[in-house]
Amino acid sequence: MGRWARVRATVQAYLGLTKTRIIEQLLVVTVPAMFLAQRGVPSLWLIVATLVGGAMAAAAAHALNCVADADIDQKMKRTARRPLAKGQVPPRNALIFGLVLSALSSVWLGLTTNWLAAALSLAAIAFYVLVYTLLLKRRTSQNIVWGGAAGCMPVVIGWAAVTGGIEWPALVMFGVIFFWTPPHFWALAMRYREDYAAAGVPMLPVVAPAQAVSVRIVVYSWVMVAWSLLLLPVTSWVYLAAALLGGAYFVFRAHRLHSAVKAGGEVSPMPLFHLSNIYLCVLFAAIAVDAALGLPLLF
């Protein structure tokens, strides 16, 4: 390999540690939370500063996660191509990379937004790495339920960046993502059940019958949709339409998955997984549109 080819390969390997696709999803919910907190459109600089800091924080958490999970990533087909699993990045370098990014993200958010947002981002990193990755992931089938709380933090961080505090709408948005995470991730885990079993990770589809998993997916889907309606006092008909129509279709597809599991035979959980991403994007896009247009509130 030539010099530039090596440099490019190294950069790609470190980018691979950050799981950029997941970062995109986290940032998608941050901006609408900022719009709702502002009751309009925040300054472009504040949006950019928050997104840069949030991206660095998420990248740091994912890099540290890759260090802790390098052994199981090697055993799973879905993750075997990650940089540490392939030996493209030394574990020590990846650890330093993650720690440096953690520090930089906190300092950046503190200096460009406020120190509450910085503290929340650091807490999210610590929770994801220490609680989810090191404590829960390999020990309990409820790992993604409680560990998923780290993925809910971007909305609270975005709210804090705008207001300097935390108010109830931020906690409602936190709850929407919290209840969304199990159906989203369990659908994926159903598809890759053998992978998780080979790695010794007790994801719910590994340790419970498929029907028990699908029942919980249905229950969490209903709770998620019901919880999303708590935002109605600070939104308009645009959000109401997205929450009701999108939520109804999500619940329908969750029930459809459960019916397929009960019927036996081959089950395809990935359509629900992909739908969950679309649902979350549409729901939070409706929040942003509501706030940006200043439409009359429902209550």
Side-chain angles (χ1 to χ4, degrees):
M1 295 178 65
R3 177 184 176 185
W4 291 112
R6 289 196 300 271
V7 170
R8 183 172 58 185
T10 300
V11 170
Q12 289 176 341
Y14 278 91
L15 282 176
L17 290 174
T18 66
K19 306 178 186 177
T20 52
R21 290 183 180 179
I22 300 177
I23 292 177
E24 293 170 6
Q25 187 179 74
L26 296 175
L27 299 184
V28 160
V29 300
T30 303
V31 175
M34 297 180 71
F35 275 47
L36 187 58
Q38 184 70 40
R39 297 291 195 276
V41 182
S43 73
L44 179 60
W45 164 246
L46 183 61
I47 293 174
V48 171
T50 305
L51 293 183
V52 169
M56 285 196 294
H62 294 149
L64 295 173
N65 169 265
C66 284
V67 174
D69 281 352
D71 59 327
I72 61 177
D73 283 347
Q74 291 177 333
K75 301 174 182 177
M76 297 176 59
K77 294 178 181 178
R78 187 174 68 88
T79 58
R81 296 182 62 82
R82 287 178 179 172
L84 279 175
K86 293 178 65 178
Q88 294 175 320
V89 178
R92 179 176 178 274
N93 292 12
L95 177 61
I96 294 172
F97 177 67
L99 292 175
V100 170
L101 272 180
S102 299
L104 287 177
S105 65
S106 298
V107 172
W108 171 268
L109 285 171
L111 294 177
T112 60
T113 63
N114 56 65
W115 290 104
L116 175 59
L120 290 171
S121 74
L122 192 59
I125 295 171
F127 189 90
Y128 184 72
V129 176
L130 300 178
V131 178
Y132 169 64
T133 304
L134 295 179
L135 180 63
L136 298 176
K137 186 171 183 178
R138 307 189 193 208
R139 290 179 171 85
T140 172
S141 62
Q142 294 298 300
N143 46 21
I144 199 62
V145 176
W146 302 108
C152 308
M153 289 299 292
V155 294
V156 184
I157 294 169
W159 188 282
V162 172
T163 67
I166 302 173
E167 299 171 67
W168 71 265
L171 300 179
V172 172
M173 289 184 287
F174 179 102
V176 170
I177 303 173
F178 181 83
F179 293 120
W180 166 89
T181 301
H184 166 77
F185 205 91
W186 283 337
L188 180 69
M190 288 177 73
R191 167 64 177 82
Y192 292 100
R193 179 185 177 281
E194 293 181 0
D195 255 10
Y196 285 111
V201 179
M203 290 296 177
L204 186 65
V206 174
V207 301
Q211 190 166 329
V213 178
S214 62
V215 165
R216 296 189 191 187
I217 286 176
V218 168
V219 170
Y220 272 95
S221 298
W222 274 103
V223 174
M224 173 192 71
V225 173
W227 188 271
S228 71
L229 299 180
L230 294 178
L231 276 181
L232 294 184
V234 292
T235 54
S236 76
W237 64 268
V238 172
Y239 177 79
L240 174 62
L244 289 179
L245 296 177
Y249 187 62
F250 193 102
V251 168
F252 166 73
R253 293 298 296 267
H255 277 279
R256 188 173 177 180
L257 174 64
H258 178 56
S259 297
V261 170
K262 286 198 302 181
E266 186 175 351
V267 176
S268 179
M270 291 305 287
L272 183 66
F273 170 78
H274 294 304
L275 173 65
S276 67
N277 290 323
I278 297 171
Y279 166 81
L280 197 68
C281 289
V282 169
L283 190 71
F284 276 82
I287 292 174
V289 169
D290 257 5
L293 297 181
L295 298 173
L297 302 182
L298 290 172
F299 304 107

